[in-house]
Amino acid sequence: MGSTEVLSRTLSSEAIEDEENDEISVGCADTFTDPTRGGHRFIALILMCLIGFGSYFCYDNPAALQDAFIDDMTLSTTEFVYLYSWYSWPNIVLCFIGGFLLDRVFGIQYGTVFYTTLVVIGQLIFAAGAFTNKFWLTVFGRFIFGIGGESLAVAQNTYAVLWFKGRELNMVFGLQLSFARVGSSVNFYVMEPLYAFVNRYFHGHECLGIVLTIACCSCAMSMLCAIILGWMDKRAEKALKRNENKSDEVVHLTDVKDFTFVFWLIAAICVLYYVAIFPFIALGKVFFMKKYEMNAVDANWVNGILYLISAVASPLLGLMVDKVGYNVFWVFVSIVMTIVCHAFLAFTFYNPLNIMIMMGVSYSLLASALWPMIAFIIPEYQLGTAYGMAQALQNGGLAISILGAGMIVDSSGYFVLELFFLICLFFALVVTIIIWLYDGSKKNILNMSATERLIYERERMAADLLEREKLLASSSGVSPYDLLQPHSDFHIRNRYLSRIGANLPSHLASHNKGLAYRGLR
């Protein structure tokens, strides 16, 4: 087939597509109903954010009612933390499986509704266990809730990538994180007054069960948002002909063996740092009540301020890191700030509200600087696997550490628990220094300024363009039709390397069309 014929067919198909798009625009002229318009995408963005609100609101229900769980169900602290560890255990694996089910089994629309349904069912079982005073049933409910909750976060990211690309994507991720933290904060400020109100009519574990059932309304709201967004996405999929542009390229789990040494160091920081945050929040209410002699409402306010600060600070600090760069430096600063916060909590009686505000800022700063570092060192087609691996390790670390934290409190008290957190943060700081030194001895990719990174990316893109031109100039059977098709830069690079005789893994060989590539989830 001649190149002229290919180009004519391509132009003809584009003309037909333009005519169909015009028909869509005429039929959906209103800003809020046309999938190509900003108003319609804004509605989708609000729904994406609300999808995760319910799961984040209910995730820390145990922390907001820690004293009620321990008293009403006669639990030790070690037993109480099972409500968190059994949330994390299934997600050591499900970070990978959840994305696979979305991609290959359910599809994004039905998959999101399925995961929100699991969250609702898990919360209802959790509430039933509390109402009937059956602790094993509450743990089982949290297990089901965890299966849906973490996979739902994957679905949110998938929707974000489908609807928003380019510069908008960072803003969307920031807004989703902010909404999630608002959900967590509202939980701490609402659940204690709600418990006090219900306690007028019901008492003990029955009161606890009813309060948790009422909290499930937030999960039901998220499920309704998932259904509406699924309908909107199905409609947009047809209008924008998304299925016609899907890639057959796949990722292989065995690719983890090719991850760099620095990736595993970053994953270690994820574990060591968040061990000093989430278990502390889970057990923080009683800590503030005992050490600072606060009432339950004030203790929840101080404990939840970290998430409220994060809701506001995360987008702003993310923008700052984007503009300034130097990610490793900011990770170092955030860990040092968190060490100072835990040291004040352990050794002083300084105002805990100010300490938790500072911890909220450092927590937000670390998230803004650390997680993008993975994308700097891992090829785009492996990002889903890389982030899944990091989250799996983080969930494993949290599941084990929170059990340890509960046993420490029962056996030695909160002061020893604070020392445990300080030790974890110290090792996180050591790992950060190792990354800083190791990366500095190479190309300093992780600690570039924003300007240096821009120049680096331009040079990399220029190299990729040169490879495209070499492919075009070659006479190895690469047809003009092939060159007209959209390929990832990684696809082109591997084809070129195979042409010059470089050895590639079997699943990346140039004769395989399924070169591994998938968007960030």
Side-chain angles (χ1 to χ4, degrees), residues 143-325:
F143 180 84
I144 300 298
F145 183 87
I147 293 174
E150 289 294 306
S151 298
L152 187 58
V154 175
Q156 276 186 288
N157 290 342
T158 303
Y159 264 133
V161 172
L162 285 174
W163 281 76
F164 300 92
K165 294 180 181 179
R167 295 180 181 178
E168 293 177 322
L169 191 57
N170 289 329
M171 177 199 70
V172 170
F173 281 141
L175 286 174
Q176 285 184 343
L177 179 60
S178 294
F179 264 77
R181 296 313 175 208
V182 167
S184 299
S185 300
V186 172
N187 158 71
F188 280 104
Y189 304 142
V190 168
M191 293 303 288
E192 186 64 38
L194 178 61
Y195 179 86
F197 175 79
V198 175
N199 199 41
R200 299 177 186 175
Y201 310 98
F202 299 89
H203 302 286
H205 57 83
E206 291 183 353
C207 173
L208 186 61
I210 292 173
V211 170
L212 295 174
T213 303
I214 295 173
C216 188
C217 293
S218 64
C219 299
M221 179 272 295
S222 293
M223 183 173 69
L224 178 61
C225 291
I227 294 172
I228 297 173
L229 182 59
W231 171 78
M232 291 176 62
D233 188 69
K234 195 73 175 176
R235 188 168 169 273
E237 190 176 73
K238 294 178 181 178
L240 303 176
K241 297 180 174 58
R242 237 188 252 148
N243 287 329
E244 295 179 7
N245 298 321
K246 282 188 176 179
S247 172
D248 294 329
E249 298 162 350
V250 295
V251 70
H252 296 259
L253 189 56
T254 54
D255 289 340
V256 298
K257 71 179 185 301
D258 299 321
F259 288 171
T260 65
F261 171 66
V262 174
F263 167 81
W264 300 107
L265 293 179
I266 294 173
I269 296 176
C270 292
V271 175
L272 292 168
Y273 182 84
Y274 287 111
V275 158
I277 299 293
F278 296 126
F280 174 73
I281 296 296
L283 300 174
K285 180 182 181 181
V286 172
F287 167 74
F288 291 119
M289 291 172 67
K290 287 186 174 181
K291 179 168 182 175
Y292 298 94
E293 299 181 350
M294 293 180 173
N295 59 42
V297 174
D298 290 341
N300 263 345
W301 172 260
V302 173
N303 201 29
I305 197 68
L306 181 147
Y307 288 140
L308 187 61
I309 293 297
S310 177
V312 177
S314 291
L316 298 177
L317 292 174
L319 180 62
M320 181 200 73
V321 174
D322 283 342
K323 296 295 184 182
V324 176

Side-chain angles (χ1 to χ4, degrees), residues 418-464:
E418 281 294 338
L419 295 181
F420 169 71
F421 292 150
L422 286 169
I423 291 172
C424 292
L425 289 169
F426 171 76
F427 280 111
L429 191 65
V430 171
V431 174
T432 303
I433 294 173
I434 293 174
I435 291 176
W436 203 337
L437 296 175
Y438 181 83
D439 184 61
S441 67
K442 302 297 182 179
K443 295 182 179 179
N444 200 38
I445 293 176
L446 299 179
N447 209 38
M448 289 179 175
S449 68
T451 303
E452 291 171 337
R453 187 165 304 284
L454 181 62
I455 295 172
Y456 172 79
E457 291 296 333
R458 285 176 177 173
E459 291 176 349
R460 185 180 62 82
M461 292 176 64
D464 290 341

Side-chain angles (χ1 to χ4, degrees), residues 470-491:
K470 288 181 179 179
L471 276 175
L472 182 61
S474 69
S475 56
S476 59
V478 180
S479 68
Y481 180 81
D482 291 332
L483 293 171
L484 286 172
Q485 305 310 304
H487 291 303
S488 69
D489 293 332
F490 186 78
H491 181 287

